[in-house]
Amino acid sequence: MEKQKIIIVDDEEGMLDVCQETLEELDNVEVETYQSSLDAVERLKTDSVDLLVTDINMPGLNGVDLLRTACQLDPNVQVLLMTGFPSVDTAVQALRLGASDYLTKPFHPDELLEIARRLLRDLRLRLEHKLLARHLGRDYMFGEMVGVCSKMLTIFGLIDQVASSDAPVLVTGETGTGKELVARAIHKRSPQAKSRFVPVDCGAMPESLMESEFFGHEKGSFTGANERTIGLLEYADRGTLFLDEVAELPLQLQAKLLRALQEGSFRRVGGKAEIGVKIRVLAASNRNLEAMVEAGDFREDLYYRLNVVNLHLPPLRERDGDIPLLVSHFLSCMASDSRRRVLEMEKDALEVLLHHSWPGNVRQLQNVLKRAVALVKSETITLGDLPEAIVLGSLSSPSSPTGFFQERSKCIEVFESKYLHELLQFCAGNVAQAAQRAGLPRGTLYRLFRRNGLDPKDFRN
């Protein structure tokens, strides 16, 4: 792998030595130092650099001007600014110009090391995302799933292994991780691929109708049974039956289902004849079935019958590098379906998506993007096109690893209060004008005002 290049610029020789010694502890990097910002500019003109670490207050070309020049020469460069004279205004200006993070002197070497490691990692992921976006295709897709992280590649390999057998598979994972997509991928690669794939949402079926839905019924077997009806097991014969949210099945039905799977036959409700079926059973649950077995809420014998092979899907927050790929994939599909030309996502908007916790996982990400595509007025999705709950949640997250958000969390009270107060003064309490000037949705701005105890009415007249 090519070494990542770091340039350090500071007019103090001692600071250069400390930074160089610290950053050379990183793996696979080349570190260069410059006491003159003008010399650094000449260096930037000759070759690309991955990370620029620069002081702000320097003779000649200061750090902010160097930042502006570096970003013009290479939009991909990560820039870490250092200063012994911190101020909110300087930080905001630098971050708006494209700085990746902001470090106040004096600092501990470990702090510099941690930030530099993160910025280099983020750059690598961003460049990989651009490459994948250009070449997105079957190399990065498995069935209807998209992913390149190690956990998903392991899942893809296991699907290939188990698909050719008749072994039951239990797919586990949080809501929205794609359990049904895994089941469909198994079916499409199985000997049953030419037969039916029958998905059953066990949590959406009324308990009073479950037995009839699964096993069918004979005419006259209960009030309203005016004709013979086949059930889902009979319909899935020779194919694949997918029991989604299998934990929602009542215990009585669990017993009947277990017998049908063990014997390969069952009776319709009100019927006497045994009906033979041959079915590949796949099941999924977002609940802990082992704990339910311990509590007596799920039959142990059915659990072991279904859990011959277990595939556990990782949550989206643990799929390193997959969010940019998923964003590119979904935007491409949605633009095609809706005939809307949405080509890209603004850097700030993508940063919000990268550092959101995604409790609803891939499904939630897909729905957020659907909303953005429906609302966007140009070819680029911006922060204003994202739900304010997603934006506010990411902006105020103290654990966010992004430089801007980390710095903002350190001085959030000072930053918000000062900025919003001056914004309302400038706009004379006009919230619509303030929202346009701040580049934020009006609803988001109202929440920020309330959080900081500001009332637009106080700034009118």
Side-chain angles (χ1 to χ4, degrees):
M1 180 183 296
E2 184 182 6
K3 290 186 176 182
Q4 291 183 292
K5 298 171 184 177
I6 303 174
I7 282 183
I8 308 168
V9 187
D10 199 303
D11 57 331
E12 296 181 19
E13 186 175 355
M15 180 58 67
L16 286 177
D17 292 339
V18 170
C19 291
Q20 181 176 13
E21 183 178 347
T22 300
L23 295 178
E24 284 180 342
E25 295 181 24
L26 295 169
D27 295 331
N28 205 39
V29 298
E30 290 181 358
V31 182
E32 301 175 29
T33 61
Y34 294 87
Q35 277 189 271
S36 166
S37 54
L38 294 175
D39 291 342
V41 170
E42 294 303 314
R43 166 64 180 82
L44 291 168
K45 290 179 180 178
T46 62
D47 194 11
S48 61
V49 172
D50 297 293
L51 173 61
L52 169 63
V53 182
T54 179
D55 189 23
I56 289 182
N57 297 295
M58 295 184 294
L61 194 70
N62 65 34
V64 174
D65 291 333
L66 179 57
L67 159 67
R68 184 184 290 107
T69 301
C71 290
Q72 289 173 349
L73 291 171
D74 184 359
N76 289 321
V77 67
Q78 298 279 68
V79 182
L80 170 60
L81 291 178
M82 304 182 295
T83 182
F85 306 95
S87 73
V88 173
D89 290 337
T90 304
V92 171
Q93 180 189 8
L95 293 167
R96 283 178 175 171
L97 288 173
S100 305
D101 213 328
Y102 188 85
L103 190 58
T104 302
K105 298 178 181 178
F107 52 81
H108 194 280
D110 287 346
E111 187 176 3
L112 171 62
L113 194 65
E114 179 185 352
I115 294 174
R117 181 181 289 114
R118 169 170 48 77
L119 295 181
L120 290 173
R121 183 194 65 226
D122 289 350
L123 174 62
R124 186 179 66 252
L125 291 175
R126 192 160 66 244
L127 294 176
E128 289 174 355
H129 158 57
K130 289 183 178 179
L131 174 64
L132 294 175
R134 290 199 305 269
H135 300 283
L136 185 62
R138 299 200 62 82
D139 289 345
Y140 312 105
M141 299 186 67
F142 191 92
E144 299 173 61
M145 293 174 285
V146 175
V148 291
C149 74
S150 59
K151 291 183 178 181
M152 290 305 296
L153 293 179
T154 299
I155 292 293
F156 297 161
L158 290 172
I159 290 173
D160 264 337
Q161 284 183 269
V162 303
S164 60
S165 71
D166 288 328
V169 178
L170 177 63
V171 187
T172 56
E174 296 178 7
T175 298
T177 49
K179 296 185 288 294
E180 182 170 342
L181 296 182
V182 170
R184 290 183 181 277
I186 293 174
H187 172 74
K188 288 180 179 178
R189 289 162 174 76
S190 72
Q192 296 84 19
K194 293 183 179 180
S195 301
R196 292 190 180 99
F197 175 83
V198 183
V200 183
D201 187 347
C202 301
M205 193 181 299
E207 186 172 341
S208 59
L209 299 178
M210 278 188 173
E211 186 176 2
S212 174
E213 288 292 322
F214 271 95
F215 304 108
H217 59 262
E218 297 290 346
K219 181 179 179 180
S221 56
F222 55 84
T223 303
N226 299 321
E227 60 183 359
R228 174 188 293 176
T229 302
I230 67 170
L232 293 167
L233 270 70
E234 195 170 348
Y235 184 69
D237 188 27
R238 306 293 174 181
T240 301
L241 180 68
F242 173 53
L243 304 174
D244 195 12
E245 302 306 337
V246 68
E248 305 305 319
L249 291 176
L251 286 169
Q252 183 179 3
L253 189 67
Q254 290 178 30
K256 294 183 178 182
L257 179 62
L258 175 64
R259 180 190 175 279
L261 298 179
Q262 287 176 333
E263 302 297 328
S265 63
F266 61 91
R267 295 189 185 95
R268 296 192 188 103
V269 176
K272 296 181 179 179
E274 287 282 333
I275 300 171
V277 290
K278 186 177 182 181
I279 301 171
R280 170 80 178 272
V281 179
L282 308 175
S285 179
N286 63 359
R287 299 174 65 182
N288 187 333
L289 290 181
E290 287 189 9
M292 293 184 66
V293 170
E294 290 282 337
D297 296 326
F298 198 86
R299 291 183 63 99
E300 184 177 24
D301 43 9
L302 179 59
Y303 171 69
Y304 288 121
R305 179 77 186 184
L306 298 175
N307 192 33
V308 175
V309 177
N310 178 257
L311 296 182
H312 182 72
L313 291 180
L316 183 55
R317 60 185 174 274
E318 295 178 7
R319 292 175 57 176
D320 293 340
D322 276 3
I323 289 180
L325 184 63
L326 287 163
V327 169
S328 293
H329 172 67
F330 287 141
L331 289 183
S332 176
C333 293
M334 292 172 193
S336 175
D337 292 343
S338 64
R339 297 181 181 179
R340 298 200 64 178
R341 187 175 172 81
V342 179
L343 298 179
E344 59 183 355
M345 176 166 286
E346 190 180 65
K347 179 182 176 182
D348 288 346
L350 181 60
E351 290 288 352
V352 166
L353 300 186
L354 285 172
H355 299 103
H356 187 64
S357 59
W358 297 114
N361 294 291
V362 179
R363 184 185 297 128
Q364 184 187 9
L365 173 63
Q366 185 177 20
N367 289 335
V368 166
L369 293 174
K370 282 182 179 179
R371 176 187 182 276
V373 169
L375 296 177
V376 69
K377 297 178 180 178
S378 66
E379 296 180 355
T380 302
I381 293 174
T382 67
L383 277 175
D385 300 314
L386 300 179
E388 65 173 343
I390 300 289
V391 176
L392 278 176
S394 297
L395 285 175
S396 59
S397 172
S399 60
S400 174
T402 301
F404 170 74
F405 300 128
Q406 184 184 58
E407 181 61 28
R408 188 180 185 278
S409 67
K410 292 177 183 177
C411 57
I412 187 169
E413 293 183 5
V414 175
F415 172 82
E416 284 192 3
S417 180
K418 183 175 184 298
Y419 177 80
L420 296 172
H421 190 277
E422 292 179 353
L423 180 66
L424 283 171
Q425 278 187 328
F426 183 86
C427 299
N430 186 320
V431 178
Q433 184 181 346
Q436 183 177 10
R437 188 169 186 83
L440 290 173
R442 194 182 304 185
T444 300
L445 207 54
Y446 271 118
R447 289 195 179 189
L448 291 173
F449 290 153
R450 287 196 296 270
R451 188 158 73 185
N452 287 272
L454 296 171
D455 188 342
K457 294 178 182 178
D458 297 336
F459 294 82
R460 295 169 188 166
N461 301 323

